[in-house]
Amino acid sequence: HNQIMKKLKKEEIISLLKKRKLEDFKKISIFEKMLIAERGYVFKMPKRGSNVILLLSGGLDSIVTWGILMKEYGLNVYPITLNRGEKRRKKELASIKFFNLLYKKLYPAHHRDFFSIDPGLSNIAIKIEDGIGVLTAETILNSFKNGEVDFNASLGVFTIFPFFARTYAMYLNSTKGLNIDTIFCGVVANDGEHISFQSLTSLRSIACNLCVPIKDYSWQFSSLCLEPEIGSFMRKSDLIKWGFKNNLPLEKTWSCYHAKKFQCGGADCVACGERKNSFINANVKDKSIYKSIDMQELNLKKIMKKISIKLKRIIKKLFRSS
């Protein structure tokens, strides 16, 4: 575990991050100076036995982060999942429910049941594939054709999700007297190479935004896998290694942007491609089942055709008997 969880010097992490086009170190410096001025530090890892919130999606990254926070850091994790209105919600929720039961058995002292919030996003949506690049006005307008909208809040999940998490922490404080001021997300070190809202720049911005509006600078927001202050720089492949070492059935997690029976395997979504490559980089056998969208749709058509033929036969028999 120590080799997988190996810590880097802050300077090493900064050097790696400076090579990324999506990072803005002038802004990072401004955000960090603000936090230091107000509370004396940028980020501090909570002590063992502390209570924390984790943003949970049902994907491999957040699911494994959940386990690491409990086993390696001894933290009491209160996971929160947000219904973002995406079609794959059922698949992600199935993953969350499975690991919720598993972790309850593995880490009973630190496990807490997940809490689900539905902010009513199911009526507005933009496919995440359309928003990974530049979210143009045309993309947004096309999503409103014929009065039908398919919005995926993943596009800005780290701009709204942490505020729901903070509200949940306040609720736990008022109802159970729990003091929670740290919110974790499942962003991995290589996410910020492709998606701006999963960069360190974005994480630091949100950390400040959690504090400034309510003038309370005790709130922390960070990723366990991307935090220079604690020497953490973990890629998806590192999480896969940790999950494998701890005998986690990683095939039960859901990464695919689609909502089919099986994950598509990368031909139709970036998430599957990254997932498959990370298993290869981790040198861990990927037990996930992948099938292309075309193949799954073809199989569905065949199944529906067989059902239709059987129904016609049953109806004919009924008419004959009558």
Side-chain angles (χ1 to χ4, degrees), residues 22-44:
L22 297 178
E23 299 291 359
D24 187 332
F25 273 86
K26 286 184 178 180
K27 290 184 175 64
I28 289 175
S29 177
I30 292 170
F31 296 141
E32 292 187 346
K33 284 179 180 179
M34 180 189 300
L35 293 171
I36 292 171
E38 294 292 342
R39 65 189 185 199
Y41 59 91
V42 175
F43 177 85
K44 284 185 179 180

Short mmCIF file of all heavy atoms in Angstrom, two decimals, residues 22-44:
data_model
loop_
_atom_site.label_atom_id
_atom_site.label_comp_id
_atom_site.label_asym_id
_atom_site.label_seq_id
_atom_site.Cartn_x
_atom_site.Cartn_y
_atom_site.Cartn_z
N LEU A 22 -4.08 23.46 -18.79
CA LEU A 22 -5.31 23.93 -18.16
C LEU A 22 -5.11 24.52 -16.77
O LEU A 22 -6.06 25.00 -16.16
CB LEU A 22 -6.33 22.77 -18.08
CG LEU A 22 -6.78 22.20 -19.43
CD1 LEU A 22 -7.74 21.04 -19.22
CD2 LEU A 22 -7.44 23.27 -20.28
N GLU A 23 -3.87 24.49 -16.27
CA GLU A 23 -3.60 25.07 -14.96
C GLU A 23 -3.19 26.54 -15.10
O GLU A 23 -2.50 26.90 -16.04
CB GLU A 23 -2.49 24.30 -14.24
CG GLU A 23 -2.81 22.83 -13.97
CD GLU A 23 -3.89 22.62 -12.94
OE1 GLU A 23 -4.43 23.61 -12.39
OE2 GLU A 23 -4.21 21.45 -12.67
N ASP A 24 -3.63 27.35 -14.15
CA ASP A 24 -3.29 28.77 -14.14
C ASP A 24 -2.68 29.09 -12.77
O ASP A 24 -3.40 29.32 -11.80
CB ASP A 24 -4.54 29.62 -14.37
CG ASP A 24 -4.24 31.10 -14.53
OD1 ASP A 24 -3.23 31.57 -13.97
OD2 ASP A 24 -5.02 31.79 -15.21
N PHE A 25 -1.36 29.10 -12.69
CA PHE A 25 -0.70 29.24 -11.40
C PHE A 25 -0.77 30.65 -10.82
O PHE A 25 -0.58 30.85 -9.62
CB PHE A 25 0.75 28.74 -11.47
CG PHE A 25 0.84 27.27 -11.21
CD1 PHE A 25 0.67 26.37 -12.23
CD2 PHE A 25 1.04 26.79 -9.92
CE1 PHE A 25 0.71 25.00 -11.99
CE2 PHE A 25 1.09 25.44 -9.66
CZ PHE A 25 0.92 24.53 -10.70
N LYS A 26 -1.05 31.63 -11.66
CA LYS A 26 -1.26 32.98 -11.12
C LYS A 26 -2.53 32.99 -10.28
O LYS A 26 -2.57 33.57 -9.20
CB LYS A 26 -1.38 33.99 -12.27
CG LYS A 26 -0.05 34.31 -12.94
CD LYS A 26 -0.22 35.39 -14.00
CE LYS A 26 1.12 35.74 -14.64
NZ LYS A 26 0.97 36.80 -15.67
N LYS A 27 -3.57 32.34 -10.80
CA LYS A 27 -4.84 32.27 -10.06
C LYS A 27 -4.70 31.37 -8.84
O LYS A 27 -5.24 31.68 -7.76
CB LYS A 27 -5.95 31.77 -10.98
CG LYS A 27 -6.38 32.77 -12.05
CD LYS A 27 -7.55 32.26 -12.85
CE LYS A 27 -8.05 33.33 -13.83
NZ LYS A 27 -7.07 33.67 -14.85
N ILE A 28 -4.00 30.24 -9.00
CA ILE A 28 -3.79 29.33 -7.86
C ILE A 28 -3.12 30.09 -6.72
O ILE A 28 -3.49 29.96 -5.55
CB ILE A 28 -2.94 28.11 -8.27
CG1 ILE A 28 -3.75 27.20 -9.18
CG2 ILE A 28 -2.48 27.34 -7.03
CD1 ILE A 28 -2.96 26.03 -9.75
N SER A 29 -2.12 30.90 -7.07
CA SER A 29 -1.39 31.68 -6.06
C SER A 29 -2.32 32.66 -5.35
O SER A 29 -2.25 32.82 -4.12
CB SER A 29 -0.24 32.43 -6.73
OG SER A 29 0.44 33.24 -5.80
N ILE A 30 -3.21 33.30 -6.11
CA ILE A 30 -4.16 34.25 -5.52
C ILE A 30 -5.10 33.54 -4.55
O ILE A 30 -5.33 33.99 -3.43
CB ILE A 30 -4.97 34.96 -6.63
CG1 ILE A 30 -4.06 35.89 -7.44
CG2 ILE A 30 -6.13 35.75 -6.03
CD1 ILE A 30 -4.71 36.45 -8.68
N PHE A 31 -5.63 32.40 -4.99
CA PHE A 31 -6.56 31.63 -4.15
C PHE A 31 -5.88 31.15 -2.87
O PHE A 31 -6.43 31.27 -1.77
CB PHE A 31 -7.10 30.42 -4.92
CG PHE A 31 -7.92 30.77 -6.13
CD1 PHE A 31 -7.81 30.03 -7.30
CD2 PHE A 31 -8.79 31.85 -6.11
CE1 PHE A 31 -8.56 30.35 -8.43
CE2 PHE A 31 -9.54 32.18 -7.24
CZ PHE A 31 -9.43 31.42 -8.39
N GLU A 32 -4.66 30.66 -3.01
CA GLU A 32 -3.96 30.11 -1.85
C GLU A 32 -3.55 31.21 -0.87
O GLU A 32 -3.61 31.02 0.35
CB GLU A 32 -2.74 29.30 -2.31
CG GLU A 32 -3.15 28.02 -3.04
CD GLU A 32 -1.97 27.11 -3.36
OE1 GLU A 32 -0.80 27.58 -3.26
OE2 GLU A 32 -2.21 25.93 -3.70
N LYS A 33 -3.14 32.36 -1.39
CA LYS A 33 -2.79 33.49 -0.52
C LYS A 33 -4.01 33.96 0.27
O LYS A 33 -3.90 34.35 1.44
CB LYS A 33 -2.21 34.64 -1.35
CG LYS A 33 -0.78 34.41 -1.80
CD LYS A 33 -0.27 35.57 -2.64
CE LYS A 33 1.16 35.33 -3.10
NZ LYS A 33 1.67 36.45 -3.96
N MET A 34 -5.18 33.92 -0.38
CA MET A 34 -6.41 34.32 0.29
C MET A 34 -6.71 33.38 1.46
O MET A 34 -7.02 33.82 2.57
CB MET A 34 -7.58 34.30 -0.70
CG MET A 34 -8.92 34.71 -0.08
SD MET A 34 -10.32 34.43 -1.19
CE MET A 34 -9.86 35.46 -2.59
N LEU A 35 -6.58 32.08 1.21
CA LEU A 35 -6.85 31.09 2.25
C LEU A 35 -5.85 31.21 3.40
O LEU A 35 -6.22 31.15 4.58
CB LEU A 35 -6.81 29.68 1.66
CG LEU A 35 -7.92 29.34 0.66
CD1 LEU A 35 -7.66 28.00 -0.01
CD2 LEU A 35 -9.29 29.33 1.34
N ILE A 36 -4.58 31.40 3.06
CA ILE A 36 -3.55 31.54 4.10
C ILE A 36 -3.79 32.79 4.94
O ILE A 36 -3.65 32.78 6.17
CB ILE A 36 -2.14 31.59 3.45
CG1 ILE A 36 -1.80 30.22 2.85
CG2 ILE A 36 -1.09 32.00 4.48
CD1 ILE A 36 -0.54 30.21 2.01
N ALA A 37 -4.18 33.87 4.27
CA ALA A 37 -4.43 35.13 4.99
C ALA A 37 -5.59 34.99 5.95
O ALA A 37 -5.59 35.59 7.04
CB ALA A 37 -4.71 36.24 3.98
N GLU A 38 -6.61 34.21 5.56
CA GLU A 38 -7.82 34.10 6.38
C GLU A 38 -7.74 33.02 7.46
O GLU A 38 -8.32 33.18 8.53
CB GLU A 38 -9.02 33.81 5.47
CG GLU A 38 -9.38 34.95 4.53
CD GLU A 38 -9.91 36.16 5.26
OE1 GLU A 38 -10.33 36.05 6.43
OE2 GLU A 38 -9.91 37.26 4.65
N ARG A 39 -7.01 31.92 7.17
CA ARG A 39 -7.00 30.84 8.17
C ARG A 39 -5.60 30.29 8.48
O ARG A 39 -5.45 29.40 9.32
CB ARG A 39 -7.91 29.70 7.71
CG ARG A 39 -7.47 28.98 6.44
CD ARG A 39 -8.59 28.05 5.99
NE ARG A 39 -8.22 27.21 4.84
CZ ARG A 39 -9.10 26.62 4.06
NH1 ARG A 39 -10.40 26.78 4.29
NH2 ARG A 39 -8.73 25.85 3.06
N GLY A 40 -4.59 30.77 7.76
CA GLY A 40 -3.23 30.38 8.06
C GLY A 40 -2.70 29.17 7.31
O GLY A 40 -1.56 28.77 7.49
N TYR A 41 -3.52 28.57 6.47
CA TYR A 41 -3.10 27.38 5.71
C TYR A 41 -3.97 27.23 4.48
O TYR A 41 -5.06 27.81 4.39
CB TYR A 41 -3.18 26.12 6.57
CG TYR A 41 -4.57 25.84 7.10
CD1 TYR A 41 -5.47 25.05 6.38
CD2 TYR A 41 -5.00 26.37 8.32
CE1 TYR A 41 -6.75 24.81 6.86
CE2 TYR A 41 -6.28 26.13 8.80
CZ TYR A 41 -7.15 25.34 8.07
OH TYR A 41 -8.41 25.11 8.54
N VAL A 42 -3.50 26.42 3.53
CA VAL A 42 -4.26 26.15 2.30
C VAL A 42 -5.17 24.95 2.51
O VAL A 42 -6.37 25.01 2.26
CB VAL A 42 -3.31 25.89 1.11
CG1 VAL A 42 -4.11 25.50 -0.14
CG2 VAL A 42 -2.46 27.12 0.83
N PHE A 43 -4.57 23.84 2.97
CA PHE A 43 -5.33 22.63 3.23
C PHE A 43 -4.63 21.80 4.30
O PHE A 43 -3.41 21.67 4.29
CB PHE A 43 -5.48 21.78 1.96
CG PHE A 43 -6.21 20.47 2.19
CD1 PHE A 43 -7.59 20.42 2.17
CD2 PHE A 43 -5.50 19.30 2.43
CE1 PHE A 43 -8.26 19.23 2.40
CE2 PHE A 43 -6.15 18.10 2.66
CZ PHE A 43 -7.54 18.06 2.64
N LYS A 44 -5.42 21.26 5.22
CA LYS A 44 -4.89 20.37 6.24
C LYS A 44 -5.69 19.07 6.23
O LYS A 44 -6.92 19.10 6.23
CB LYS A 44 -4.99 21.01 7.64
CG LYS A 44 -3.95 22.08 7.91
CD LYS A 44 -4.06 22.56 9.35
CE LYS A 44 -3.01 23.62 9.65
NZ LYS A 44 -3.12 24.10 11.06
#
